[in-house]
Amino acid sequence: MRAIAPGLFTDEPQPRLVGGRHRDSGRIVFPCPPGNDYEPHPLRRDGTLWSWTIQRYRPKSPPYAGPEAFAPWPVGYVELAGETIVEARLANVAFADVHIGMPLELTFIPLDPAAAEPVMIHAFQPAGARA
Amino acid sequence: MSDVCIVGIGIHRFGRTDGVSGVEQGVHAVRAALADAGVEWPQVQFAYGASDAAGNPDTMVEHLGLTGVQFINVRNGCAAGGSALFSAQMAIKSGEFDLGIAVGFDKHPRGAFNALPAEYNLPDWYGDAGYMITTQFFANKITRYMHLHGISRTTLGRVAEKAFRNAVHAPHAWRRQPVALDEILDGAMVSDPYSKYMFCSPAEGGVALVLASEKRARELGKPLVRLKAATMRTRPPGSFEVFAPCIDIGGGTATATRIASRDAFTLAGIGPADIAVAQLQDTEAGAEIMHMAENGFCADGEQEQWLAEGRTEIGGALPVNTDGGCLACGEPIGASGLRQVYENVVQLRGDGAGRQVPGAPKTAYSHVYGAPGVSAVTILER
């Protein structure tokens, strides 16, 4: 898998997001900040939806590096119990079915679905959903 | 300690003014404020100028006169104008000066702000993947709030409807046509639950305030509008801010606004129930809703009833955003917070004409909030 940034996902059959754990306080954040205060901490793959919206227009470039072609996407915050609440796109779900509290699991989607070797970004989908 | 008074106000109308630079709009506002106060530029002892994207404010001395005046530039995110005002009143309170100005202006390109990750200490992938978007944050924040506190989308629409209706009577506002509630609710969606009518737009404009010590204000013979409190605060732990890749569990309710508001009320020695008119940051319709509670004017969830009953209308118990706020005026970052104070002085003087709050209000409150988790509050009394 071609990740959008090195060190953002773990290198394992079911990759996880790499958060950071504060060495003194134990606070967990995402992504793992540079420097020595935080150590890399892979985050759990399951969570529940904390809030959401639909991105209805193509973001400005720069900084957006996705394709010119645009279709609205859901994006929200997912609470990973005992860890942190991460911002992520939602995938494989109808807009009308998105609701706060829904169980979700980590997945990966291409930034440009039409690309031959797409860069992959993280997203969450309904638990048990299939692409 | 004697109070700091606002003795002159000036504004360059908000919106789009092609061919007039941001600095020139600031100069226009300063000249209007000086005329209002009845003072000349050479009498001004100091200035604090705020701009985010329209150049260095101190360059306006070329237009106003090379008097050697002390002129300090302020760039402090969405609190830039509030920070300029705070600094100006400190200069007078300290006894160093007794007459000066706070001026703010800006001129942003059309469309959403396009911020870059590096400016916010964020990795490039965050922008590459399409997260570097302010509207996304605002929509996520209100969706959570509506879920927790039972706020309906109709209530968001009512906020926007009120803004455009109030702006009809505000000559400095940008969008001065009423828009029907149905049209607001059915408008093109930007970021659910918000339609295009529920977001303010980056814009242009300039505002200047002339401040004086109480003694100097009396000599000028102006009605005394006292700046009883001016606070600027930054975010506490667990807050939920724009461009946040993560939020602490249990977070999302503590805000810079709550701190700035609490401390301003303490300084002024009054409480939310004593305020007669309020200008609250309304970057989007939901911001006004959330800020009603964060500033202590109601409990979370009560806004649903408040809006339905018209309690924040100009004739209501607590008129909010009497000039249409950011929704109708747009948001030139450097000027936005000072516009609120301008509007409050208009209201306290009784000069609001078609948008005047009835009953001769004696207290007025202003509040800005923005990136990266900053808030500024003022309380005025006459």
Side-chain angles (χ1 to χ4, degrees), chain A residues 56, chain B residues 135 153 156-157 160 164 179 181-200 284-285 327:
Chain A
R56 296 274 178 183
Chain B
T135 47
R153 190 162 177 267
L156 303 182
F164 300 124
V179 183
L181 181 59
D182 283 349
E183 192 179 343
I184 291 167
L185 294 172
D186 297 341
M189 294 299 284
V190 173
S191 199
D192 304 33
Y194 289 135
S195 73
K196 66 175 182 178
Y197 294 107
M198 299 180 186
F199 274 111
C200 82
E284 5 72 57
L327 288 171

Side-chain angles (χ1 to χ4, degrees), chain B residues 287-310:
Chain B
E288 180 174 313
I289 293 294
M290 292 183 282
H291 291 150
M292 287 167 62
E294 288 182 27
N295 287 287
F297 294 110
C298 67
D300 289 318
E302 287 181 357
Q303 303 96 326
E304 186 73 9
Q305 191 178 352
W306 276 50
L307 269 289
E309 293 175 354

Side-chain angles (χ1 to χ4, degrees), chain B:
Chain B
M1 191 182 303
S2 80
D3 285 326
V4 174
C5 297
I6 298 176
V7 296
I9 57 173
I11 197 163
H12 183 285
R13 75 176 177 81
F14 280 36
R16 295 276 168 218
T17 309
D18 291 340
V20 181
S21 73
V23 172
E24 287 166 338
Q25 295 182 40
V27 168
H28 176 99
V30 170
R31 287 185 173 136
L34 293 174
D36 181 50
V39 300
E40 303 288 333
W41 174 247
Q43 296 171 261
V44 173
Q45 298 161 337
F46 72 93
Y48 284 88
S51 167
D52 192 67
N56 291 327
D58 65 314
T59 60
M60 67 171 61
V61 297
E62 290 168 27
H63 301 270
L64 292 166
L66 301 176
T67 59
V69 66
Q70 170 182 306
F71 200 126
I72 296 176
N73 296 336
V74 179
R75 195 161 181 264
N76 205 9
C78 295
S83 299
L85 178 57
F86 173 83
S87 304
Q89 58 108 29
M90 285 295 288
I92 292 173
K93 270 188 179 172
S94 74
E96 181 83 15
F97 297 116
D98 63 9
L99 186 74
I101 65 169
V103 55
F105 58 87
D106 245 312
K107 190 177 178 87
H108 303 290
R110 286 162 210 277
F113 294 112
N114 63 331
L116 299 176
E119 297 164 1
Y120 289 84
N121 239 345
L122 290 165
D124 286 342
W125 69 260
Y126 188 76
D128 291 348
Y131 292 109
M132 206 71 200
I133 301 173
T134 55
T135 47
Q136 230 172 60
F137 156 76
F138 290 122
N140 270 294
K141 193 173 177 193
I142 194 63
T143 300
R144 178 75 184 171
Y145 192 87
M146 292 164 78
H147 172 78
L148 289 179
H149 301 295
I151 301 297
S152 67
R153 190 162 177 267
T154 300
T155 293
L156 303 182
R158 286 194 170 114
V159 170
E161 184 190 24
K162 169 174 67 67
F164 300 124
R165 193 168 56 236
N166 288 353
V168 169
H169 306 286
H172 62 263
W174 182 13
R175 303 184 189 286
R176 301 184 60 198
Q177 296 296 322
V179 183
L181 181 59
D182 283 349
E183 192 179 343
I184 291 167
L185 294 172
D186 297 341
M189 294 299 284
V190 173
S191 199
D192 304 33
Y194 289 135
S195 73
K196 66 175 182 178
Y197 294 107
M198 299 180 186
F199 274 111
C200 82
S201 302
E204 307 170 16
V207 181
L209 307 171
V210 181
L211 281 76
S213 64
E214 184 172 340
K215 178 171 177 289
R216 189 73 184 264
R218 288 187 188 282
E219 288 166 8
L220 289 167
K222 301 297 292 182
L224 296 186
V225 174
R226 300 167 188 274
L227 183 57
K228 298 299 289 187
T231 57
M232 183 274 161
R233 296 291 185 269
T234 53
R235 67 190 184 279
S239 74
F240 176 22
E241 309 294 350
V242 68
F243 308 141
C246 74
I247 310 163
D248 289 346
I249 286 177
T253 52
T255 65
T257 293
R258 291 184 194 275
I259 305 171
S261 175
R262 178 198 63 202
D263 292 352
F265 279 122
T266 301
L267 277 171
I270 61 173
D274 301 314
I275 297 296
V277 53
Q279 319 297 333
L280 305 179
Q281 177 81 28
D282 58 336
T283 320
E284 5 72 57
E288 180 174 313
I289 293 294
M290 292 183 282
H291 291 150
M292 287 167 62
E294 288 182 27
N295 287 287
F297 294 110
C298 67
D300 289 318
E302 287 181 357
Q303 303 96 326
E304 186 73 9
Q305 191 178 352
W306 276 50
L307 269 289
E309 293 175 354
R311 295 183 68 170
T312 54
E313 298 287 338
I314 282 170
L318 179 70
V320 173
N321 292 332
T322 46
D323 67 348
C326 293
L327 288 171
C329 293
E331 189 177 23
I333 289 177
S336 208
L338 297 181
R339 172 189 53 76
Q340 297 177 327
V341 178
Y342 170 93
E343 174 65 10
N344 277 338
V345 173
V346 168
Q347 292 290 342
L348 293 179
R349 288 178 176 177
D351 291 340
R355 67 183 194 280
Q356 177 63 43
V357 170
K362 287 190 158 38
T363 52
Y365 185 95
S366 75
H367 156 262
V368 290
Y369 161 79
V374 293
S375 182
V377 166
T378 71
I379 296 172
L380 305 186
E381 275 182 21
R382 74 165 170 87

Side-chain angles (χ1 to χ4, degrees), chain A:
Chain A
M1 182 173 72
R2 205 174 141 215
I4 191 165
L8 194 59
F9 316 140
T10 59
D11 183 14
E12 54 190 327
Q14 287 217 308
R16 290 175 287 171
L17 296 175
V18 178
R21 185 180 180 282
H22 195 271
R23 291 177 195 274
D24 296 333
S25 70
R27 180 188 178 213
I28 295 171
V29 300
F30 173 78
C32 187
N36 291 322
D37 290 349
Y38 286 84
E39 59 189 2
H41 181 92
L43 301 174
R44 56 192 301 165
R45 294 175 50 91
D46 63 309
T48 54
L49 190 62
W50 188 84
S51 193
W52 62 281
T53 183
I54 309 290
Q55 177 63 34
R56 296 274 178 183
Y57 63 95
R58 187 187 182 280
K60 275 189 179 177
S61 300
Y64 179 54
E68 280 304 318
F70 174 79
W73 67 68
V75 54
Y77 283 85
V78 181
E79 180 162 346
L80 309 178
E83 295 181 337
T84 186
I85 303 168
V86 299
E87 187 177 16
R89 288 206 208 179
L90 304 179
N92 304 317
V93 61
F95 295 173
D97 293 338
V98 178
H99 62 272
I100 290 175
M102 69 191 295
L104 298 166
E105 65 185 17
L106 182 66
T107 187
F108 296 89
I109 59 173
L111 180 59
D112 180 359
E117 282 184 73
V119 164
M120 301 300 280
I121 62 174
H122 67 281
F124 280 80
Q125 64 183 7
R130 295 174 58 176

